[in-house]
């Protein structure tokens, strides 16, 4: 740990804490105590460990997130660590290292997130230096993975492999990660007003949620050149799904990283820092307008930027599950479904083994919380499909599991209001029993609170959890959304049910929602619009548990 502290102390210039703007929120004060750079908490880590987890101050609990260490209220004394994996690219040696740490120092629970990275759980504060050392040995790091930083940068999991991609955009992702974080962190980007999400993709099949990102670079063509159109201001949470808007900018591949860096710096320098719920990039754009943002970008960039090109994305959405031919002749990628992204160390070790035996030791994580084993020779695919692990992590999951996504829930999250992962799997199994395996796949996303980490408003069917008092009892309930989607015609899912108890009737309710969702497109075609048939279906089903009640704030719910 001393090694880390020494290099970090030497890498930053000591200055007086910056002046806080009037009305700045508490997190701004925490950053100010670190001279405006949350990564300085690394200097204090030895003393924090010596004092112990029980002595952590509110400021320390937040600032530790700058180095990827997360205090978890549901598991006192046990922490989570978020591991940075740009574009979801990983190696077998890295998976083995994470599995070994989980088995030996953690609680044997690992999660793949919708940002294509992994979370290690259940370790104690004093083991942090050892975990850092182990991760560093396999070229992994945890810096700037929480709070007011650029989070893990997303891209197509099949980048460089997909036959129909416009180009491989993953080098841009890795260049951005090098500029913004690097191996030691970068103080230029550690004092943003809030978190910042980025997608960079050359995939035409909308396999990333580009429209929910603060910045998204999506494949485009202009005057015979290939590059990106720039979308800005998307978000989940903080008031719901805001669809990113075109900035009317086309950038070629060699310009892309520089344009993104300038946009981040504009947000850093001008973004709001008052109420946390109003500090995202979307709110600066709401105040300024796209025209002013574009003008500021051009001024910083130093010359005019081309206007947007032709969007090269199609209307399909790929999840990269199953067997896919690669652009490299004679090779295939095999995508495996990991229901809700949760794995154990033995499964992670086995994934590493399979990637070595059948591929070249690479593993790709997807935004759907799944994995892809690439570079499998065609003649070896059948043998891979016969491996025992693929009975647990299927390349051909049921239509109700294939698009299943769930946030962490109350098991480990400080903000979650209901348990999500096991409940999501149980619901999907019940839907399979009710509706059969011949149904068309659809996306079902769970978020345990309004923060929307499960991207519930970007799914065919979304469920957002909260607690409510019904008949004098506090019960777990969900609001249900329908019709969310990303891609060129992105739309936020519409809340159609306000309060649905998480009881034995929930599968019937969701089955009716699914039926309604599937009728929508046909009804619009024949009637020029759709009056939602869901409530009529509910009345027919006679589901007495569809009660409407006033949701309670978290503070109003007894612990």
């Amino acid at each position: 740990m001393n090694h880390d502290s020494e290099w970090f102390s030497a890498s930053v210039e000591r200055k007086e804490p910056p002046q806080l703007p009037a009305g700045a929120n508490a997190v701004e004060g925490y950053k100010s105590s670190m001279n405006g750079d949350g990564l300085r908490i690394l200097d204090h880590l030895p003393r924090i460990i010596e004092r112990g987890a029980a002595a952590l101050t509110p400021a320390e609990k937040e600032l530790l997130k700058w180095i990827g260490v997360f205090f978890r209220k549901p598991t006192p004394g046990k922490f989570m660590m978020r591991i940075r994996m740009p574009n979801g690219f990983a190696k077998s040696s890295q998976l083995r290292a994470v599995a070994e740490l989980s088995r030996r120092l953690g609680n044997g629970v690992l999660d793949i997130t919708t940002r294509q990275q992994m979370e290690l759980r259940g370790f104690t504060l004093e083991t942090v230096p050892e975990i850092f050392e182990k991760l560093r040995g396999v070229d992994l790091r945890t810096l700037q993975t929480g709070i007011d930083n650029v989070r893990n940068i997303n891209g197509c999991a099949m980048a460089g492999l997909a036959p129909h991609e416009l180009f491989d955009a993953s080098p841009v992702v890795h260049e951005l990660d090098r500029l913004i974080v690097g191996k030691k962190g970068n103080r230029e980007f550690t004092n943003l007003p809030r978190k910042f999400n980025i997608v960079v993709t050359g995939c035409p099949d909308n396999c990333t949620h580009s429209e929910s990102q603060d910045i998204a670079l999506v494949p485009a063509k202009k005057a015979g050149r290939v590059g990106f159109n720039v979308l800005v201001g998307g978000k989940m949470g903080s008031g719901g799904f805001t669809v990113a808007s075109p900035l009317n900018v086309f950038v070629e591949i060699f310009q892309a990283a520089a344009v993104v860096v300038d946009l981040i710096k504009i947000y850093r320098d001008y973004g709001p820092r008052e109420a946390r719920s109003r500090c995202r990039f979307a709110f600066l754009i709401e105040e300024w307008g796209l025209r002013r943002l574009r003008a500021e970008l051009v001024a910083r960039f130093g010359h005019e930027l081309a206007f947007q090109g032709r969007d090269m994305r199609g209307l399909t959405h790929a999840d990269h599950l199953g067997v896919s031919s690669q652009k490299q002749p004679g090779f295939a990628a095999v995508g495996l479904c990991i229901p809700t992204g949760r794995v154990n160390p033995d499964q992670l070790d086995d994934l590493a083994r399979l990637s070595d035996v059948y591929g070249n030791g690479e593993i790709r994580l997807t935004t759907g919380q799944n994995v892809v084993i690439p570079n499998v020779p065609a003649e070896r695919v059948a043998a891979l499909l016969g491996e025992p692990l693929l009975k647990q992590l299927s390349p051909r999951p049921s239509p109700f599991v294939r698009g299943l996504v769930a946030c962490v829930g109350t098991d480990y999250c400080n903000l979650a209001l209901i348990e999500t992962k096991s409940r999501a799997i149980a619901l999907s199994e019940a839907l399979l029993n009710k509706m059969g395996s011949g149904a068309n796949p659809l996306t079902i996303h769970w978020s345990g609170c309004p923060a929307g980490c499960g991207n519930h408003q970007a799914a065919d069917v979304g469920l957002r959890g909260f607690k409510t008092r019904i008949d004098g009892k506090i019960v777990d309930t969900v609001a249900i959304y329908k019709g969310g989607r990303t891609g060129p015609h992105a739309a936020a899912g519409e809340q159609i049910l306000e309060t649905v108890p998480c009881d034995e009737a929930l599968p019937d309710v969701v089955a009716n929602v699914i039926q309604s969702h599937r009728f929508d497109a046909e009804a619009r075609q024949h009637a020029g619009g759709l009056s939602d048939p869901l409530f009529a279906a509910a009345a027919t089903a006679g589901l007495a548990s569809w009660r409407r009640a006033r949701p309670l704030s978290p503070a109003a719910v007894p612990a």
Side-chain angles (χ1 to χ4, degrees):
M1 187 65 243
N2 289 338
H3 172 71
D4 277 336
S5 184
E6 286 168 8
W7 67 247
F8 189 77
S9 296
S11 70
V12 292
E13 179 186 355
R14 302 275 178 191
K15 291 184 178 180
E16 289 300 312
Q19 188 70 31
L20 280 177
N25 60 66
V27 176
E28 293 300 319
Y30 302 154
K31 286 185 285 189
S32 180
S33 73
M34 295 285 114
N35 296 82
D37 179 8
L39 276 178
R40 288 185 184 276
I41 194 66
L42 192 57
D43 293 337
H44 301 261
L45 188 56
R47 292 187 294 278
I48 290 172
I49 292 173
E50 184 178 354
R51 284 173 29 233
L56 283 174
T57 67
E60 289 166 343
K61 290 175 183 177
E62 296 299 328
L63 290 165
L64 283 170
K65 297 174 186 177
W66 263 261
I67 57 173
V69 178
F70 292 73
F71 170 81
R72 299 289 81 178
K73 187 176 179 180
T75 56
K78 301 296 179 70
F79 290 75
M80 179 269 281
M81 187 175 289
R82 191 174 287 156
I83 303 168
R84 205 169 188 96
M85 294 176 168
N87 214 119
F89 287 10
K91 300 175 182 176
S92 58
S93 59
Q94 294 172 332
L95 263 60
R96 287 193 181 92
V98 173
E100 190 264 333
L101 288 170
S102 178
R103 187 181 290 113
R104 185 167 56 85
L105 300 177
N107 64 351
V109 176
L110 295 151
D111 284 309
I112 298 171
T113 79
T114 57
R115 295 218 66 80
Q116 297 176 283
Q117 61 192 349
M118 297 200 71
E119 293 180 343
L120 173 70
R121 303 191 180 283
F123 58 90
T124 58
L125 198 56
E126 60 267 21
T127 63
V128 168
E130 183 180 353
I131 296 173
F132 280 171
E133 188 70 26
K134 180 75 172 181
L135 294 177
R136 188 165 51 243
V138 291
D139 197 27
L140 288 175
R141 59 203 185 282
T142 65
L143 300 176
Q144 295 169 239
T145 53
I147 292 287
D148 301 346
N149 289 283
V150 175
R151 306 297 182 85
N152 196 55
I153 303 172
N154 286 173
C156 172
M158 287 282 285
L161 308 175
H164 304 299
E165 69 180 356
L166 190 63
F167 52 86
D168 178 3
S170 63
V172 179
V173 173
H174 290 287
E175 175 66 4
L176 280 169
D177 189 74
R178 183 189 68 79
L179 292 170
I180 295 166
V181 183
K183 293 187 181 297
K184 297 182 178 181
N186 186 344
R187 68 171 302 172
E188 279 196 277
F189 302 98
T190 59
N191 191 11
L192 305 182
R194 277 279 316 260
K195 68 177 180 179
F196 204 88
N197 293 330
I198 300 173
V199 154
V200 181
T201 178
C203 176
D205 292 329
N206 304 296
C207 64
T208 59
H209 294 304
S210 297
E211 285 71 24
S212 65
Q213 309 297 302
D214 295 280
I215 298 175
L217 304 186
V218 298
K221 276 187 177 181
K222 187 176 180 72
R225 297 168 292 158
V226 298
F228 304 98
N229 284 340
V230 181
L231 311 179
V232 294
K235 65 173 179 61
M236 290 283 179
S238 298
F241 181 13
T242 298
V243 175
S245 301
L247 189 56
N248 197 15
V249 168
F250 171 84
V251 293
E252 293 187 69
I253 298 167
F254 74 92
Q255 299 174 301
V259 165
V260 170
V261 164
D262 278 342
L263 283 169
I264 298 169
K265 289 180 177 178
I266 291 170
Y267 173 60
R268 178 198 66 192
D269 296 344
Y270 295 105
R273 294 177 182 266
E274 291 78 37
R276 293 286 286 177
S277 62
R278 298 281 300 176
C279 288
R280 294 292 298 274
F281 195 26
F283 297 110
L284 177 63
I285 294 170
E286 181 182 289
E287 177 188 345
W288 276 19
L290 291 167
R291 189 183 298 254
R292 178 178 171 185
L293 177 62
R294 191 185 192 283
E296 178 68 22
L297 173 62
V298 168
R300 291 193 180 219
F301 204 66
H303 62 77
E304 184 56 77
L305 291 163
F307 294 121
Q308 66 190 29
R310 179 161 59 98
D311 192 330
M312 296 304 294
R313 292 175 296 164
L315 298 179
T316 60
H317 286 70
D319 57 18
H320 301 309
L321 293 182
V323 180
S324 304
S325 296
Q326 295 182 190
K327 65 169 64 173
Q328 295 79 12
F331 288 88
V334 180
L336 308 179
C337 181
I338 300 183
T340 74
R342 180 151 289 174
V343 291
N344 60 51
D346 291 343
Q347 290 172 323
L348 209 58
D349 275 335
D350 217 8
L351 281 171
R353 178 186 68 81
L354 295 180
S355 72
D356 283 335
V357 170
Y358 296 97
N360 66 342
E362 291 185 32
I363 299 97
R364 309 283 184 91
L365 311 184
T366 81
T367 58
Q369 301 179 303
N370 299 313
V371 300
V372 177
I373 298 176
N375 301 307
V376 180
E379 65 273 14
R380 299 280 285 151
V381 169
L384 172 56
L385 294 176
E387 285 279 350
L389 182 65
L390 273 66
K391 290 182 171 58
Q392 302 172 40
L393 312 178
S394 175
R396 297 181 291 270
S398 93
F400 305 105
V401 172
R402 180 165 189 148
L404 185 63
V405 165
C407 74
V408 171
T410 50
D411 284 349
Y412 300 107
C413 180
N414 295 351
L415 300 177
L417 302 174
I418 68 167
E419 196 280 323
T420 54
K421 288 191 181 285
S422 63
R423 189 169 268 148
I425 291 171
L427 174 63
S428 294
E429 290 173 348
L431 290 172
L432 178 63
N433 291 332
K434 285 179 176 296
M435 306 184 76
S437 59
N440 291 328
L442 77 164
T443 51
I444 304 174
H445 290 190
W446 287 69
S447 294
C449 77
C453 295
N455 296 329
H456 61 279
Q457 281 190 276
D460 295 321
V461 177
L463 300 97
R464 172 181 56 81
F466 58 97
K467 290 188 182 294
T468 287
R469 181 176 283 110
I470 295 178
D471 295 335
K473 296 181 179 179
I474 303 296
V475 298
D476 289 356
T477 53
V478 289
I480 298 183
Y481 297 74
K482 187 181 69 170
R485 59 186 179 275
T486 53
H489 302 290
E494 175 192 1
Q495 181 177 313
I496 56 172
L497 290 171
E498 183 181 29
T499 306
V500 182
C502 296
D503 58 18
E504 66 280 356
L506 181 60
D508 292 321
V509 175
V510 176
N512 279 317
V513 172
I514 292 170
Q515 296 281 20
S516 170
H517 172 74
R518 287 174 174 164
F519 291 149
D520 277 2
E522 183 178 353
R524 287 193 185 98
Q525 288 175 357
H526 287 85
L530 178 68
S531 59
D532 196 327
L534 181 64
F535 296 105
T540 302
L543 300 176
S545 62
W546 286 27
R547 302 177 187 230
R548 294 184 177 272
R550 182 174 59 85
L552 299 175
S553 68
V557 178

